[in-house]
Amino acid sequence: MATILEVAKRAGVSKATVSRVLSGSGYVGPEKRERVEKAIAETGYRPNLLARNLATKTTQTIGLVVTNTLYSGNYFSELMFQSARIMEEHGRQLILADGKHTAEEEKAAIQFLLDLRCDGVIIYPRFLSIAEMDEIISQHKQPILVINRRLRLNDSYCIFSDQHATSAAAVGHLIEQGHRDIAFITGSLDSPTGLERLSGYKAALAEQGIAVNSALIVEGKWNAQSGMAAVDTLVASGSAFSAIVASNDEMAIGAIKRLTERQIPVPSAVSVIGFDDIPLAPYTIPSLSSMKMPVTDMIKETINRLVSMLDGGELSKRPTFPASLILRDSVAAGPYLSAEKADR
């Protein structure tokens, strides 16, 4: 393996000149630079990244921690794609670490990235508590930003969308459309997002004086199969329902499939709303109404804020990122709205 000394000898320059060319710091004349670059190509020299990073005190890398239980699904595909794309725009490399299955393993993944000398770390937490994340942020010099959770002590270090309010808005729209018997397919209930969306569902019903019927709440697992199974459970309960809110689009699509198989037409008999507005949503039959989550905006804000910290800029802060309801063919007026019109 070629050394920097061999490159310097072949180019007829000093080691310091080669180092300046490699680091991009300090002036090197065009003729010398060309000789050094030619010598690097001829010798096949590859710089020692660890040594260079120690010298420059930066690696131009940013770590991302996501637990592997979240890797599947369109939402996280978009999260990963946008993270890589926006990181590339900033000239930085993205390093992914697996948070696995516990809070301790999420902590270990963060430490792994810090040990690799990542300039900063982004975490999409599943198991770490708010208090634990606040503590981790305060313990390290490298900036650690959190997506999709609201911190108590480090609000400039978190970027989030209000899942409770988003879910309440979806249910609220159905109520405005004349639905009262609204079923809810939760996400996994060990997920903070799943719990917040369930809380928003209950809050929207309570605001309109509608009692929560526990038979209309079924736990899902974020996949289409659990959406199908949830419809079977709802039908078997014997409780009437004219609408379903599913905690993500995959489960909503599964619910529509099972309703169709049971010859329960969507939306004339049952309206359906999902979350995330995945690329497939406009192409289902009927096309799926969905709460569009601001994934791209959140990732862009996270990386911009992190890069600003690393470059010594002022720490920006923005309020929660709102979701928006994308209405398509899977939602129709409910029986109570029809009754109100008939009374008129």
Side-chain angles (χ1 to χ4, degrees):
M1 181 180 292
T3 66
I4 193 170
L5 180 59
E6 291 176 65
V7 173
K9 286 181 178 179
R10 182 177 285 263
V13 299
S14 68
K15 287 174 60 177
T17 299
V18 176
S19 294
R20 285 197 295 273
V21 171
L22 290 170
S23 66
S25 61
Y27 176 76
V28 178
E31 188 269 335
K32 283 187 178 180
R33 179 178 296 277
E34 184 177 347
R35 281 168 28 210
V36 169
E37 290 173 347
K38 181 180 179 183
I40 290 171
E42 290 174 347
T43 60
Y45 172 74
R46 294 180 64 84
N48 184 319
L49 290 178
L50 178 59
R52 187 178 71 183
N53 293 342
L54 288 170
T56 62
K57 295 184 173 59
T58 181
T59 64
Q60 299 300 305
T61 62
I62 291 176
L64 173 64
V65 176
V66 182
T67 178
N68 62 40
T69 59
L70 303 178
Y71 288 172
S72 62
N74 286 273
Y75 178 88
F76 287 94
S77 295
E78 183 178 357
L79 184 148
M80 292 302 302
F81 169 74
Q82 297 297 345
S83 296
R85 181 185 66 81
I86 298 169
M87 209 78 77
E88 184 178 5
E89 289 177 358
H90 284 282
R92 309 217 177 214
Q93 185 63 260
L94 177 68
I95 300 179
L96 177 65
D98 183 5
K100 295 188 172 65
H101 311 290
T102 66
E104 287 304 314
E105 287 171 316
E106 283 185 331
K107 287 181 184 178
I110 295 171
Q111 190 59 54
F112 170 76
L113 293 170
L114 294 174
D115 289 344
L116 287 179
R117 302 184 64 82
C118 288
D119 297 329
V121 173
I122 299 167
I123 176 169
Y124 195 109
R126 174 75 181 270
F127 304 105
L128 285 167
S129 68
I130 299 298
E132 287 173 319
M133 287 184 286
D134 272 325
E135 182 179 5
I136 289 169
I137 289 170
S138 65
Q139 288 176 340
H140 295 91
K141 292 182 179 179
Q142 296 105 312
I144 300 171
L145 269 63
V146 176
I147 301 178
N148 203 39
R149 300 284 289 280
R150 186 169 190 173
L151 303 178
R152 295 191 184 94
L153 304 180
N154 297 281
D155 57 355
S156 294
Y157 288 75
C158 62
I159 295 86
F160 61 95
S161 183
D162 191 333
Q163 304 289 349
H164 175 101
T166 299
S167 182
V171 177
H173 177 78
L174 290 171
I175 294 172
E176 289 174 0
Q177 292 301 305
H179 296 277
R180 296 292 182 272
D181 302 311
I182 303 170
F184 191 80
I185 306 175
T186 76
S188 301
L189 293 181
D190 61 350
S191 158
T193 296
L195 290 172
E196 288 178 20
R197 289 179 180 173
L198 175 58
S199 173
Y201 161 78
K202 292 179 177 179
L205 295 180
E207 185 177 346
Q208 296 300 321
I210 301 172
V212 174
N213 180 354
S214 59
L216 294 183
I217 301 174
V218 182
E219 183 176 357
K221 298 297 181 184
W222 303 115
N223 56 49
Q225 291 83 356
S226 67
M228 295 173 67
V231 169
D232 292 336
T233 301
L234 289 168
V235 172
S237 76
S239 294
F241 58 96
S242 65
I244 294 175
V245 175
S247 289
N248 74 352
D249 287 346
E250 281 88 348
M251 292 191 296
I253 290 170
I256 290 175
K257 176 176 171 58
R258 182 64 91 220
L259 288 166
T260 302
E261 290 173 348
R262 286 179 168 272
Q263 298 184 335
I264 301 172
V266 179
S268 58
V270 176
S271 292
V272 179
I273 292 180
F275 284 77
D276 300 337
D277 192 36
I278 65 175
L280 187 62
Y283 303 104
T284 60
I285 300 175
S287 57
L288 178 62
S289 298
S290 183
M291 299 300 298
K292 183 176 180 63
M293 305 305 296
V295 181
T296 300
D297 290 342
M298 291 170 65
I299 288 295
K300 186 173 183 179
E301 171 69 15
T302 302
I303 296 173
N304 286 345
R305 195 181 298 186
L306 182 53
V307 170
S308 178
M309 290 181 187
L310 296 172
D311 292 344
E314 291 187 9
L315 190 59
S316 63
K317 179 182 174 183
R318 176 180 166 175
T320 179
F321 285 72
S324 54
L325 174 59
I326 308 299
L327 279 174
R328 299 191 180 94
D329 298 334
S330 65
V331 172
Y336 288 86
L337 186 64
S338 300
E340 290 169 6
K341 287 183 177 179
D343 290 341
R344 296 194 190 107

